[in-house]
Amino acid sequence: MRVASALLLCLAGSLVFAQEEPPRLRTLVPNGSILLVENMPAAKSVSVQLFASSRRVPDTPENHGYKHLLEHLVLKGHGKDLDLRMERQGIFFSGHTLRDAMQIVFTCLPEQIPTVLDALTEILQPLATTHEDIVKEVKIMREERALEDDSERLSAAAWNTAFGDRGMDPFGDPSLMEGAAPEDLVMFQSKLFAANNLVLVISGPVDIEKVTSLGKSFLAGCSGNCLDQSETRPEGEPGRTNLENAFGEARGARVPGIDDAKAAWGLAAALALASQLGDAFVTYTPSAQNALVIVGKTDENSGVGLKVDALTESDIAAMFPIGKALARRWLQRQMETPAGSANIRGLLLCEGASYKPEEMLDNINAMTWQQFAEGIALFKEKQADIVVGTR
Amino acid sequence: MIAALAAGLALSGPTVLVLPNPNASLIDVQAIVSVGTLTSHEQALAQVVRDTLLDATADFNEDDLRHYSALAGSAMRCTLSADHYRIELEMPKGQLDLAGQIMCDVLQHPRFDDSVIQAELQALPFRRRSYWSEALYSWNLDYSRINQPAVEAFFQRVFTPNATTIVISGPIGQLSDDPTSYWPRLANWNQPKPDWRKDYSGPTAPLSEHAFPITTAELYSSEYDGSDASFPLQLLVATALGAGKGSAMHRVLREQLALTYLQQAVVTPTANGFRTRLFLIHSPSGEDSSLCETARKALLEDVKSWSAETLERAIGMAQAYLLAGAEATPLYLDASSPLTQSPQDQAFLAGYWKEKTGNAWDARKLLGLMKQVTLGNLKSTAEKLLTDAQTRVIPGKT
């Protein structure tokens, strides 16, 4: 009996020690770039996302909009036909300019990853453009600006209120962009696309080892070392702004980076508030830096603040389980698809190799109702950044 | 990977489609209710129903519904499109019973309290939609004749078992072929007698102006059906014209003429089929009224130059959005957003397509049919669409 028991224990032990293939592998490339490859076997497609971090090349009043303009121009490719060439093969890509990074997103099938990496190599080449091209593109971008909806305008204003020049709208200043010389853009590009600012995330039904090898080769071929100091966003301050070119009301709560549990409390509070307000929006981009969680409405321009400021302790206690569940689900949804997972992981890696969304999930799960109440307090009049649109 | 278990069981009651997915973390239950052709008065009633349906039911009040929604972390929601309602509820694994109780009560016994309806009627005229939603549903509805009995009567007429498809997906294990065995409330849901009363409300008034300083111009096709003979060709034409950055609209209207930042083709449902709509969206200018004709002329000129590469790109783009979930899809089959590759949207598509066309949704088969389209056919269909297209311009507020 004892021998049999010992044998059973040994078998159990060997089963316990059997290793599962990790779902993702992060590689720190010697040139300072970061690679993350994630296997999602049930997914139908692959998301390949390249990020150029703004950490060392932030938006300033002098270059405000260069990042966005660069995104528009480089994505055309050298023959200005990169879209056509990719779409013919069933590959679609788009670019996004965020505060923390420029992001290039490709959707493809697993066997097309090498083609995508070739396309990224082309995009990273020094820009060849003319002043005429710049002026024409900025004309189109003015139209893009005109199409911003009220929630975007309210959110941008809240960031400006909270952080001033350190919270500049990534869209940029069209007048400044129009005056950009081609060589200025090339210089900016060389800094932004320096290897130590690059993060590549590949997520989907992939062989981690093989795709890591492909990704490493690509990143190892990237050059440049941006020596500028990386800057962190300050804590910001409360304030109030009225906007004439938007309608609605928004309240922004300043939160720390996701490694601080307060970010989770703020997010849970925002989602709980939105669920009470009906037809409300919540804007939050996970970041390792100080950031803003915004809740607002665009179908009326009063009521959000009144609702928030009138909340009692018992109201907040009742909202707590809803906020916790909504925040958990919100974050889980980001990580359920290749595109969502690559997006959130890449953005966080732009700030440092150790940041990951699971930290925020742990903080959400551990959150107490008192901590949730602290999250709600961030939206109250005295602490929040308030924007009212009166168009 | 969602594996379709059953083709759907049509009782004299609703069609129920079961799609087990053991890898999913939540049970997803969706009801798709066909609305048929609505008069202008009924369109207004439909909006009110959409906004008040989930307020409370016979067995679940507002707090109950909010609480149960929170279990899964996403609120129960109801959207309205030109041809259907979509009601969606997510529940944690193991709560299929509760999901059934809630969904059946919503479908059969919503409360429509008068105070809720009155509050909704007061809020509606001031409620702002996005410019995109206004462009897609460009009507100006009259809510003045709406009251609680009318809302209730409209609901009873539209929300019938025969007009409803229920899709149950997620970690649900093996379910019986008889849905009433696990959702007994379905057994008590009877098809009402037809209501032969006539509604003589006039045509729906078009929206005269956006609430935003954004102008939307549209060229739209006539209606077509979802059959294999028609839909793949029309979808490929929409793709060639306006899906992706290699499309005609992007190349010509944005890159060459710098007319707009946003321009795209969408395929949206109508009461009896689908329609291709080419949208140009830009800030108001003195040339708003001529924008459609400028676009029509430029696109017709471009179609003449379409080649094998154009066809190849369109098919490649179709592959990207049908199989790989690329975001630049022209399929706007539900509310104001394109469908995604999420399990929830794919479950909706499975139920909706079956209800709408009688066929199972099969993206690979659809792509295969699109690959059979010849260049000649693509060009001639695009030319006809552009030549015959009617136009609509909703100017922006200045």
Side-chain angles (χ1 to χ4, degrees):
Chain A
M1 196 67 149
R2 283 185 193 165
V3 170
S5 300
L7 188 59
L8 277 171
L9 275 173
C10 280
L11 284 171
S14 68
L15 285 170
V16 162
F17 291 129
Q19 290 286 327
E20 279 188 15
E21 194 64 36
R24 59 190 74 88
L25 180 63
R26 186 198 63 190
T27 306
L28 306 182
V29 183
N31 62 11
S33 58
I34 302 173
L35 170 67
L36 180 74
V37 178
E38 176 179 40
N39 180 24
M40 299 179 89
K44 290 183 186 173
S45 61
V46 177
S47 188
V48 179
Q49 300 191 20
L50 182 72
F51 298 80
S53 169
S54 307
R55 197 161 47 136
R56 297 180 185 87
V57 196
D59 291 325
T60 66
E62 292 75 35
N63 70 17
H64 189 203
Y66 280 21
K67 190 167 63 191
H68 190 190
L69 177 59
L70 186 66
E71 177 231 304
H72 271 244
L73 294 171
V74 294
L75 259 61
K76 294 179 196 289
H78 268 244
K80 295 186 184 170
D81 63 348
L82 187 60
D83 300 319
L84 272 166
R85 284 186 276 130
M86 289 297 107
E87 287 172 11
R88 252 182 238 141
Q89 301 175 72
I91 300 170
F92 180 75
F93 72 97
S94 59
H96 308 277
T97 300
L98 312 164
R99 281 185 182 82
D100 289 352
M102 182 200 294
Q103 177 190 26
I104 303 167
V105 180
F106 279 78
T107 305
C108 65
L109 299 173
E111 58 270 25
Q112 295 172 318
I113 292 173
T115 306
V116 168
L117 295 177
D118 286 343
L120 281 172
T121 301
E122 183 175 332
I123 287 171
L124 292 178
Q125 294 306 304
L127 178 68
T129 191
T130 64
H131 181 65
E132 289 71 31
D133 283 345
I134 290 171
V135 168
K136 186 178 174 191
E137 197 63 32
V138 173
K139 184 183 172 193
I140 293 170
M141 291 169 78
R142 285 185 192 278
E143 281 297 314
E144 182 184 354
R145 166 131 269 176
L147 300 190
E148 277 180 340
D149 66 29
D150 286 339
S151 67
E152 288 169 314
R153 291 178 185 193
L154 292 168
S155 297
W159 270 86
N160 200 42
T161 304
F163 300 109
D165 278 356
R166 301 306 312 283
M168 299 183 94
D169 180 2
F171 187 94
D173 177 351
S175 305
L176 200 69
M177 288 191 256
E178 212 162 47
E183 53 271 23
D184 292 339
L185 282 181
V186 173
M187 172 71 78
F188 183 85
Q189 179 194 19
S190 70
K191 281 188 181 179
L192 186 64
F193 287 177
N196 61 333
N197 284 335
L198 297 180
V199 172
L200 178 69
V201 183
I202 303 175
S203 182
V206 299
D207 179 314
I208 288 189
E209 204 180 309
K210 282 184 188 161
V211 173
T212 295
S213 174
L214 288 172
K216 265 167 46 179
S217 294
F218 164 77
L219 284 174
C222 296
S223 60
N225 186 33
C226 183
L227 296 174
D228 293 9
Q229 288 297 315
S230 66
E231 299 187 20
T232 53
R233 202 168 289 130
E235 280 186 14
E237 36 187 69
R240 187 184 184 99
T241 300
N242 283 353
L243 270 192
E244 287 180 359
N245 66 346
F247 184 82
E249 185 190 358
R251 285 235 172 156
R254 295 178 311 288
V255 295
I258 61 143
D259 54 339
D260 186 320
K262 225 174 179 181
W265 311 343
L267 175 64
L271 291 166
L273 285 169
S275 75
Q276 306 287 310
L277 289 165
D279 226 12
F281 68 87
V282 172
T283 307
Y284 174 60
T285 304
S287 175
Q289 294 208 52
N290 293 324
L292 211 58
V293 182
I294 301 164
V295 63
K297 284 173 72 80
T298 56
D299 58 354
E300 53 193 33
N301 66 357
S302 72
V304 174
L306 290 171
K307 175 91 185 178
V308 172
D309 294 335
L311 287 173
T312 62
E313 205 172 84
S314 63
D315 292 332
I316 295 171
M319 286 162 61
F320 166 60
I322 295 172
K324 193 164 179 171
L326 289 172
R328 188 185 299 125
R329 184 74 187 118
W330 182 92
L331 194 55
Q332 283 169 339
R333 268 197 210 267
Q334 312 295 315
M335 299 191 280
E336 270 175 357
T337 62
S341 185
N343 175 59
I344 193 170
R345 294 183 190 282
L347 275 175
L348 293 174
L349 287 171
C350 281
E351 300 301 316
S354 61
Y355 294 111
K356 46 191 178 178
E358 283 78 8
E359 277 183 275
M360 192 171 212
L361 199 55
D362 289 342
N363 290 334
I364 291 169
N365 287 333
M367 181 174 57
T368 63
W369 87 262
Q370 290 91 343
Q371 290 165 338
F372 174 74
E374 283 191 50
I376 293 279
L378 296 173
F379 288 94
K380 298 257 182 184
E381 188 178 9
K382 286 192 178 152
Q383 292 197 55
D385 294 283
I386 300 168
V387 183
V388 176
T390 55
R391 184 182 68 230
Chain B
M1 188 79 111
I2 294 178
L5 178 69
L9 177 67
L11 312 167
S12 59
T15 301
V16 179
L17 203 58
V18 176
L19 305 173
N21 179 6
N23 295 322
S25 54
L26 296 172
I27 293 172
D28 182 73
V29 176
Q30 303 191 46
I32 302 149
V33 182
S34 295
V35 301
T37 305
L38 299 180
T39 64
S40 61
H41 180 54
E42 288 172 330
Q43 285 188 45
L45 285 165
Q47 297 296 317
V48 176
V49 166
R50 179 201 63 191
D51 293 340
T52 57
L53 180 70
L54 304 182
D55 186 71
T57 68
D59 289 345
F60 300 95
N61 62 31
E62 193 184 356
D63 285 342
D64 290 336
L65 289 177
R66 195 176 294 142
H67 169 74
Y68 290 125
S69 292
L71 294 177
S74 57
M76 192 171 185
R77 49 198 166 274
C78 176
T79 55
L80 173 64
S81 304
D83 61 346
H84 68 272
Y85 283 96
R86 175 183 178 185
I87 304 158
E88 187 174 5
L89 170 67
E90 288 182 301
M91 292 295 276
K93 188 176 171 180
Q95 298 291 338
L96 183 63
D97 223 26
L98 180 58
Q101 288 174 37
I102 294 173
M103 184 58 85
C104 289
D105 223 33
V106 165
L107 291 172
Q108 296 175 60
H109 308 294
R111 271 199 222 157
F112 293 129
D113 289 335
D114 190 51
S115 58
V116 169
I117 300 228
Q118 290 308 318
E120 174 69 13
L121 290 173
Q122 282 185 8
L124 263 172
F126 303 100
R127 192 167 293 149
R128 294 187 180 213
R129 300 183 281 152
S130 68
Y131 67 79
W132 183 237
S133 173
E134 286 184 344
L136 284 177
Y137 301 100
S138 54
W139 29 245
N140 200 3
L141 296 178
D142 176 13
Y143 298 100
S144 61
R145 291 191 295 130
I146 292 181
N147 52 38
Q148 197 280 345
V151 170
E152 186 101 46
F154 174 80
F155 170 82
Q156 296 294 343
R157 183 179 85 65
V158 170
F159 281 68
T160 65
N162 287 1
T164 304
T165 297
I166 296 174
V167 187
I168 307 172
S169 62
I172 50 179
Q174 294 293 320
L175 296 182
S176 159
D177 283 347
D178 177 12
T180 60
S181 67
Y182 48 86
W183 283 3
R185 292 186 187 208
L186 286 176
N188 302 326
W189 195 15
N190 300 312
Q191 184 69 15
K193 290 181 191 156
D195 182 351
W196 300 113
R197 280 176 291 181
K198 289 282 185 194
D199 179 338
Y200 294 101
S201 53
T204 312
L207 197 63
S208 58
E209 184 184 67
H210 281 296
F212 310 89
I214 291 170
T215 290
T216 57
E218 176 188 353
L219 292 105
Y220 60 95
S221 76
S222 52
E223 216 173 32
Y224 50 86
D225 62 44
S227 68
D228 286 352
S230 186
F231 193 81
L233 170 60
Q234 296 292 345
L235 185 59
L236 193 64
V237 166
T239 306
L241 281 172
K245 287 170 282 181
S247 68
M249 290 175 80
H250 188 100
R251 282 185 291 103
V252 174
L253 303 181
R254 172 168 158 166
E255 295 296 309
Q256 284 177 24
L257 300 179
L259 278 180
T260 56
Y261 168 75
L262 184 58
Q263 56 295 308
Q264 68 179 100
V266 299
V267 172
T268 60
T270 60
N272 301 306
F274 303 93
R275 200 189 297 283
T276 298
R277 303 165 74 177
L278 312 180
F279 281 103
L280 299 89
I281 302 177
H282 71 116
S283 52
S285 72
E287 290 154 27
D288 283 354
S289 56
S290 62
L291 190 57
C292 286
E293 293 313 316
T294 305
R296 190 201 308 263
K297 194 173 157 191
L299 291 172
L300 276 168
E301 197 54 40
D302 186 70
V303 171
K304 290 179 191 168
S305 67
W306 284 7
S307 64
E309 282 182 349
T310 313
L311 179 59
E312 191 187 0
R313 186 217 71 95
I315 289 172
M317 195 61 220
Q319 177 183 302
Y321 64 73
L322 285 174
L323 300 188
E327 62 191 35
T329 171
L331 287 166
Y332 274 63
L333 303 180
D334 182 59
S336 310
S337 307
L339 292 177
T340 67
Q341 290 289 318
S342 70
Q344 295 82 4
D345 275 356
Q346 292 303 299
F348 161 77
L349 194 48
Y352 170 76
W353 200 255
K354 184 100 179 117
E355 170 69 29
K356 183 82 172 178
T357 69
N359 299 321
W361 172 259
D362 186 336
R364 284 193 186 275
K365 182 186 169 192
L366 176 57
L367 182 64
L369 290 169
M370 290 164 89
K371 285 180 177 177
Q372 292 174 23
V373 173
T374 63
L375 176 62
N377 224 353
L378 185 76
K379 286 175 76 166
S380 62
T381 308
E383 273 167 1
K384 184 168 179 11
L385 188 158
L386 288 167
T387 305
D388 296 346
Q390 296 189 58
T391 61
R392 182 183 295 132
V393 176
I394 306 175
K397 199 181 188 94
T398 49

